[in-house]
Amino acid sequence: MKKTAPAPRTPEETLSLPVGGSHDGRTRVSVARLLLEQGPIAAVAVADALGLSPAAVRRHLDALVADGEAHTRDAPRLGHRGRGRPAKLYLLTESGRARFGHAYDDLAISALRFLAETGGDDAVRAFAERRMATLVDRHRVAVTSPATPDARAQALAVALTREGYAASTRSVGTGEQLCQHHCPVAHVAAEFPQLCEVETAAFAALLGTHVQRLATIANGDAACTTHVPLARPGSTEHPVPHGGKSL
């Protein structure tokens, strides 16, 4: 008799769900997703974002921590603060991130190891470039149409979010920071940094400016952060080279 493989489990099915019904389950998934997209984040900020009481949010956060799907770090002290424990910030562990999509990591790593053994580093890089070119082609027009690097960075964040990277941008003094709060290939990129290197080069080509990668999930950071500099005052904005077609 032929066996049918079970369907892939959704985050709601695989996250540590409380006994007591699907409503609690959906809430816990919402809490976990917020940690994924905005972590490190304080419990009170989670409560405000989801419209829940701090007590209810802490119950879900404590359960995620107890099950190894989230952990805490101390919030940085800003200015003078009184005595007492520093506030806690919550973020997902690798186990928690895995609930949102690492199903084929082992297969991918094995395949790339074989490729590296048989074709060397150049073969791995060629694969990474082909993979990124496929992603870029789906969003090239939308990302390259805006006239300035910051507007293109915002369009790129939208495109990356559609590809499962939970991306956002924020303005800083010298430009825009593009933050990817999730990376579907983080475990693979930890062993094969060519994936991150090629991705950074693709961002620079699409945005029409030099970019600097500041942090990556593959290296253990909370998010992949890329700095996109603004044009210098008085300078003429250069168009995207070849329409971003370097990849």
Side-chain angles (χ1 to χ4, degrees), residues 209-220:
T209 183
H210 168 75
V211 302
Q212 182 180 7
R213 183 59 63 87
L214 303 178
T216 63
I217 294 172
N219 283 336

Side-chain angles (χ1 to χ4, degrees), residues 32-77:
R33 187 173 295 279
L34 200 63
L35 298 190
L36 171 73
E37 296 178 351
Q38 298 187 26
I41 184 172
V44 65
V46 176
D48 288 343
L50 298 180
L52 301 172
S53 70
V57 165
R58 285 192 174 89
R59 177 168 61 86
H60 289 291
L61 290 171
D62 288 345
L64 290 170
V65 170
D67 287 312
E69 294 172 351
H71 63 100
T72 64
R73 64 171 61 162
D74 291 340
R77 293 180 180 273

Side-chain angles (χ1 to χ4, degrees), residues 9-184:
R9 301 176 73 188
T10 65
E12 182 170 338
E13 292 171 324
T14 54
L15 281 165
S16 53
L17 299 184
V19 176
S22 60
H23 176 72
D24 263 352
R26 288 192 296 270
T27 300
R28 186 152 306 166
V29 171
S30 297
V31 170
R33 187 173 295 279
L34 200 63
L35 298 190
L36 171 73
E37 296 178 351
Q38 298 187 26
I41 184 172
V44 65
V46 176
D48 288 343
L50 298 180
L52 301 172
S53 70
V57 165
R58 285 192 174 89
R59 177 168 61 86
H60 289 291
L61 290 171
D62 288 345
L64 290 170
V65 170
D67 287 312
E69 294 172 351
H71 63 100
T72 64
R73 64 171 61 162
D74 291 340
R77 293 180 180 273
L78 302 177
H80 177 73
R81 291 183 58 179
R83 294 183 177 181
R85 295 180 179 178
K88 288 183 179 180
L89 299 179
Y90 292 81
L91 63 161
L92 292 184
T93 62
E94 283 300 315
S95 175
R97 288 180 183 276
R99 306 302 188 184
F100 291 89
H102 288 303
Y104 301 103
D105 280 359
D106 290 343
L107 177 61
I109 289 174
S110 295
L112 284 177
R113 284 174 180 167
F114 176 79
L115 188 62
E117 291 170 4
T118 57
D121 289 343
D122 288 345
V124 175
R125 183 170 294 276
F127 166 80
E129 290 174 347
R130 174 68 66 86
R131 172 185 173 272
M132 184 52 58
T134 300
L135 185 151
V136 165
D137 285 344
R138 288 198 288 268
H139 305 284
R140 188 185 304 281
V141 174
V143 175
T144 60
S145 293
T148 59
D150 55 332
R152 289 194 289 268
Q154 293 163 13
L156 179 55
V158 172
L160 289 170
T161 295
R162 290 174 178 168
E163 297 289 342
Y165 288 82
S168 63
T169 61
R170 61 179 180 177
S171 297
V172 294
T174 56
E176 290 283 314
Q177 283 192 352
L178 173 67
C179 298
Q180 296 157 254
H181 303 282
H182 179 54
C183 177

